[in-house]
Amino acid sequence: MAQKVKLSTIAETLGLSTATISLALRDSPLVAADTREKIKDQARALGYIYNRRAASLRTSRSGIIGVVVHDIMNPFYGEILKAIETELDRSRHTFILSNHYDSVDKQRMFIETLLQLGGDGVIMSPAIGTPPEDVLLAENNNMPAIFVARSMDGLDVPIYRGDDTYGISLATNHLIGLGHRSIAMIGGTDQTSTGRDRYQGYVNALRKAGIEVDPGLRIPGPRTKQGGFEAAVNFLSLPQKPTAAVCWNDLVAIGLMNGIARAGLIPGQDISVTGYDDLEEASIATPSLTTVWNGQAEVGRLAARALLDKLAGSHEPDGIHLIKPEMRIRQSTAPIRR
Amino acid sequence: MAQKVKLSTIAETLGLSTATISLALRDSPLVAADTREKIKDQARALGYIYNRRAASLRTSRSGIIGVVVHDIMNPFYGEILKAIETELDRSRHTFILSNHYDSVDKQRMFIETLLQLGGDGVIMSPAIGTPPEDVLLAENNNMPAIFVARSMDGLDVPIYRGDDTYGISLATNHLIGLGHRSIAMIGGTDQTSTGRDRYQGYVNALRKAGIEVDPGLRIPGPRTKQGGFEAAVNFLSLPQKPTAAVCWNDLVAIGLMNGIARAGLIPGQDISVTGYDDLEEASIATPSLTTVWNGQAEVGRLAARALLDKLAGSHEPDGIHLIKPEMRIRQSTAPIRR
DNA sequence: CTGAAAGCGCTTACAG
DNA sequence: CTGAAAGCGCTTACAG
């Protein structure tokens, strides 16, 4: 490798000062237009690479934004990330991604690393059991946080997510409307706000329809396709013989449908199944999945915008921003067979 | 936020020099053990945050490793990434992720950003049409590259991937062994090394079995579930009435099976389908998918190790490192019906 | 075992 | 419109 090219290299070869070079490369109107062009050409010719660490050391702004969620391989988060990426790309921010797999330690290590790198802000879907201190660590060090998909009590961090209680009630009401009375709820956990909200929404809808809530019809836990697939055995052996299942999310629903099919029953005919999220995959599942649109792209886009606005100095309203879910009716649900 | 705590803050409160603090925090044996402890306690008490930009400006090592692939939401890459993450976590490197969506521009911008941040190295699955200069840009600026999953001609960058020609021949031979003679190949593109290799492997296997290769049986293009799903229509209307399909990957295979089922046929019985990759999902698809294990976790782990070794100064052998694929036989393939 | 001083490559008032 | 100089917060020879 040749000698490293820096601002001073360009300055020397052009007989100018580093100050002028620095300003010119950042398109400052303080530098005459033709000087600016000359400088840019020279920078290109020399293969100059801007050293962000040096700049950021001086300005204490890095252009780095951290994003940490449960698991980026989960398409639910994937769809959120894609929207965040699009929004951050537009403003030339770099984003650093991490999974926390609901490990508080892994999440804290990520926040610390981000602080060390001088991260400007962090978008997170907090790990189960996150202590408020870990979020305050970021905020107190001038790195604002925005939550997506999950709330946390005791912090007034802006949060963007779907209205889970309402959304799941849409799915439950849809099944009730089709004549189902014995409806199971598969998956999710009480350890997240989302989990509690969705179960509550399911319970509310049943009560409102005058259907007794049977705790035995709840199979908590599964959150993945694999989990839904394995839950099919338990589901099919429930003594109550439910005719329908409200699933925690699309992944669980698709897994459950696979499991039901494996047992020789036809999902969508013998058993009605609803998902949640409306992943891209939901419409091509077989049968195509009746589900609840949960606005992942909206959540990602709005959260990224809110963070960028905050960094730009505007006072974004804190508090909860709920996206209103919508029903998507497809083939996996049908009127009850009498 | 209180006044920022830096090395000199600790030094002053303790009556020591910044040099000693710096050494102590990095566990240098040059500092007496009890001084070291005292310093670490004080750092913790003051809430000191190590400034990596400053350190990296001085040492020109950042601890950052870039990873850029086609699409991190694709579980094939997801499984590679997970293995890379595990390996890099272990050595306390930070990794920055990006999709390139096969846009050469997006990929170049990522490489430039990484250089600006002082990235130590980059693991990439090069975008279609990547000019060698873009990779040399990294290498010439002291940022070594390692390829995963895709090769590129004209560069001697180490590459880790599966043996595609061999792997696809396993799938094709399996179908031939079941009595199939009219076997379609669905998906993939000639624009990647992987695409060319897999088509070649399919052709080789047919020839070796004395089956004439019919170019009309190839439906190139699809690489996703959606793509496979849509290809089902074309597949089912082929005049040759193929009884089996070798798919580009598991996603295409699962999509195709969904499409076949939607048309009222039973995949695995009426039509045999093979996938490629053996994603976690393959075994829970319905029917479970006969596929080729492609060693994603191995690819990721080995590539990360190779990069870390290179950064540590060891001379890693360049060239191609092929993982040997293995057949996984499940329910989606069956003897031909006469 | 500890300290004084230079320097990594930028940006930013301040002058002119 | 351009330049000289200080400083961001570390680490690293070099002394002692």
Side-chain angles (χ1 to χ4, degrees):
Chain A
M1 179 175 71
Q3 201 54 39
K4 200 161 209 171
V5 178
K6 41 193 170 180
L7 279 193
S8 62
T9 318
I10 307 178
E12 281 163 23
T13 60
L14 246 36
L16 291 166
S17 76
T18 57
T20 306
I21 311 294
S22 172
L23 292 169
L25 291 180
R26 281 173 299 140
D27 284 319
S28 162
L30 289 175
V31 180
D34 50 339
T35 315
R36 213 158 50 194
E37 277 320 302
K38 205 170 54 184
I39 290 174
K40 288 193 166 186
D41 288 347
Q42 181 72 340
R44 217 167 297 133
L46 294 174
Y48 171 67
I49 291 169
Y50 178 70
N51 187 326
R52 280 213 214 187
R53 291 114 85 201
S56 134
L57 184 56
R58 183 60 224 256
T59 62
S60 70
R61 269 229 161 186
S62 65
I64 292 176
I65 286 180
V67 182
V68 57
V69 299
H70 177 106
D71 183 359
I72 60 172
M73 276 180 61
N74 181 324
F76 168 73
Y77 289 111
E79 293 182 5
I80 292 179
L81 293 177
K82 208 161 232 172
I84 293 177
E85 182 190 27
T86 305
E87 203 61 31
L88 295 186
D89 267 2
R90 191 169 304 166
S91 63
R92 312 194 59 67
H93 281 258
T94 304
F95 79 134
I96 300 192
L97 221 57
S98 183
N99 305 304
H100 54 55
Y101 301 125
D102 277 320
S103 152
V104 168
D105 284 348
K106 199 164 185 317
Q107 180 180 262
R108 190 190 310 112
M109 272 183 42
F110 178 74
I111 291 174
E112 278 169 9
T113 300
L114 208 53
L115 283 170
Q116 295 180 356
L117 291 169
D120 293 337
V122 60
I123 297 175
M124 53 193 290
S125 185
I128 292 174
T130 301
E133 301 88 76
D134 288 0
V135 180
L136 290 173
L137 174 66
E139 298 245 304
N140 291 338
N141 284 286
N142 203 23
M143 190 170 78
I146 305 264
F147 287 165
V148 286
R150 288 185 190 171
S151 298
M152 244 182 81
D153 291 336
L155 286 171
D156 60 340
V157 170
I159 142 110
Y160 291 81
R161 61 174 180 84
D163 185 343
D164 292 299
T165 318
Y166 172 73
I168 206 84
S169 75
L170 291 179
T172 314
N173 286 336
H174 167 70
L175 290 170
I176 294 170
L178 291 171
H180 295 277
R181 287 295 171 274
S182 182
I183 303 172
M185 163 111 199
I186 316 284
T189 162
D190 272 345
Q191 296 181 82
T192 63
S193 60
T194 323
R196 290 186 293 273
D197 288 354
R198 290 202 193 152
Y199 184 60
Q200 196 55 53
Y202 156 83
V203 166
N204 291 351
L206 291 179
R207 288 222 177 103
K208 208 158 147 193
I211 298 173
E212 202 184 342
V213 177
D214 178 352
L217 283 174
R218 185 184 192 195
I219 303 180
R223 292 194 277 170
T224 61
K225 241 179 239 191
Q226 185 70 44
F229 182 73
E230 288 163 3
V233 178
N234 296 336
F235 172 77
L236 293 173
S237 59
L238 284 172
Q240 299 91 333
K241 296 281 168 208
T243 59
V246 170
C247 292
W248 160 256
N249 62 15
D250 286 356
L251 298 178
V252 169
I254 292 172
L256 184 77
M257 293 202 302
N258 280 332
I260 289 172
R262 204 64 81 76
L265 293 172
I266 302 176
Q269 293 184 26
D270 300 322
I271 306 281
S272 284
V273 177
T274 62
Y276 203 98
D277 290 340
D278 194 24
L279 300 180
E280 287 173 15
E281 198 176 334
S283 62
I284 67 168
T286 303
S288 61
L289 186 63
T290 295
T291 186
V292 179
W293 176 85
N294 195 17
Q296 288 84 260
E298 278 297 284
V299 165
R301 194 177 62 74
L302 292 174
R305 267 267 49 91
L307 183 55
L308 292 173
D309 287 349
K310 199 161 189 172
L311 294 178
S314 90
H315 266 266
E316 192 58 24
D318 281 359
I320 300 193
H321 303 261
L322 290 181
I323 310 294
K324 190 154 190 176
E326 293 169 16
M327 201 65 207
R328 297 279 186 265
I329 297 172
R330 303 204 179 93
Q331 306 171 331
S332 69
T333 49
I336 189 172
R337 301 179 156 189
R338 317 245 171 207
Chain B
M1 178 175 73
Q3 202 53 38
K4 200 159 209 173
V5 177
K6 41 194 170 177
L7 279 194
S8 63
T9 318
I10 307 179
E12 282 163 23
T13 61
L14 246 36
L16 291 167
S17 75
T18 58
T20 304
I21 309 295
S22 171
L23 292 169
L25 290 181
R26 282 174 299 141
D27 285 319
S28 163
L30 289 175
V31 181
D34 50 339
T35 314
R36 212 157 51 193
E37 278 320 302
K38 205 169 54 185
I39 291 173
K40 289 192 166 186
D41 287 348
Q42 181 72 339
R44 217 166 299 134
L46 293 174
Y48 171 67
I49 289 170
Y50 178 69
N51 187 325
R52 280 213 215 188
R53 292 114 84 201
S56 133
L57 184 56
R58 183 60 226 254
T59 62
S60 71
R61 269 232 161 181
S62 64
I64 292 176
I65 286 180
V67 182
V68 56
V69 299
H70 177 104
D71 183 359
I72 61 172
M73 277 183 60
N74 181 325
F76 169 73
Y77 289 111
E79 293 182 6
I80 292 180
L81 292 177
K82 209 161 232 173
I84 293 177
E85 182 190 28
T86 304
E87 204 62 30
L88 294 185
D89 267 3
R90 192 169 304 166
S91 64
R92 312 193 58 69
H93 281 257
T94 303
F95 79 134
I96 299 192
L97 223 57
S98 183
N99 304 304
H100 54 56
Y101 301 125
D102 276 321
S103 152
V104 167
D105 284 348
K106 197 163 186 318
Q107 179 180 264
R108 190 191 309 112
M109 271 184 42
F110 178 73
I111 291 174
E112 278 169 8
T113 301
L114 209 52
L115 284 170
Q116 295 180 355
L117 291 170
D120 293 337
V122 60
I123 297 175
M124 53 193 289
S125 184
I128 291 175
T130 301
E133 301 87 75
D134 289 0
V135 180
L136 291 172
L137 173 66
E139 298 245 305
N140 291 339
N141 284 285
N142 203 24
M143 189 170 78
I146 305 263
F147 286 167
V148 286
R150 290 185 187 169
S151 297
M152 245 183 80
D153 290 337
L155 286 170
D156 61 342
V157 170
I159 142 110
Y160 291 81
R161 62 174 181 84
D163 185 342
D164 292 299
T165 318
Y166 172 74
I168 207 84
S169 76
L170 290 180
T172 314
N173 286 336
H174 167 69
L175 290 170
I176 294 170
L178 290 171
H180 296 278
R181 288 295 172 272
S182 182
I183 303 172
M185 164 111 199
I186 317 284
T189 162
D190 272 345
Q191 297 181 82
T192 63
S193 60
T194 322
R196 291 186 292 274
D197 288 353
R198 289 200 192 153
Y199 184 61
Q200 196 53 55
Y202 156 82
V203 167
N204 291 350
L206 290 179
R207 289 223 176 103
K208 209 159 146 192
I211 299 173
E212 202 183 342
V213 177
D214 178 352
L217 284 175
R218 186 185 191 192
I219 302 180
R223 292 193 278 170
T224 61
K225 243 179 236 190
Q226 185 71 42
F229 181 73
E230 288 163 4
V233 178
N234 296 336
F235 172 78
L236 293 174
S237 59
L238 283 173
Q240 298 92 332
K241 296 282 170 207
T243 58
V246 169
C247 293
W248 160 255
N249 63 14
D250 286 357
L251 298 178
V252 169
I254 292 171
L256 184 76
M257 294 203 301
N258 280 333
I260 290 172
R262 205 63 81 78
L265 293 172
I266 303 175
Q269 293 183 26
D270 300 322
I271 307 280
S272 284
V273 176
T274 62
Y276 203 98
D277 290 339
D278 194 23
L279 300 179
E280 287 173 14
E281 196 176 336
S283 61
I284 67 169
T286 302
S288 61
L289 185 64
T290 295
T291 187
V292 179
W293 176 85
N294 195 17
Q296 288 84 261
E298 278 296 285
V299 165
R301 195 177 61 75
L302 292 173
R305 268 267 48 91
L307 182 55
L308 293 173
D309 287 350
K310 200 162 188 171
L311 294 179
S314 91
H315 266 266
E316 192 58 23
D318 282 357
I320 300 192
H321 304 260
L322 290 181
I323 310 294
K324 191 156 190 173
E326 293 169 16
M327 201 65 207
R328 296 279 186 264
I329 297 172
R330 302 203 179 93
Q331 305 171 331
S332 69
T333 50
I336 189 172
R337 299 180 156 189
R338 316 249 170 204

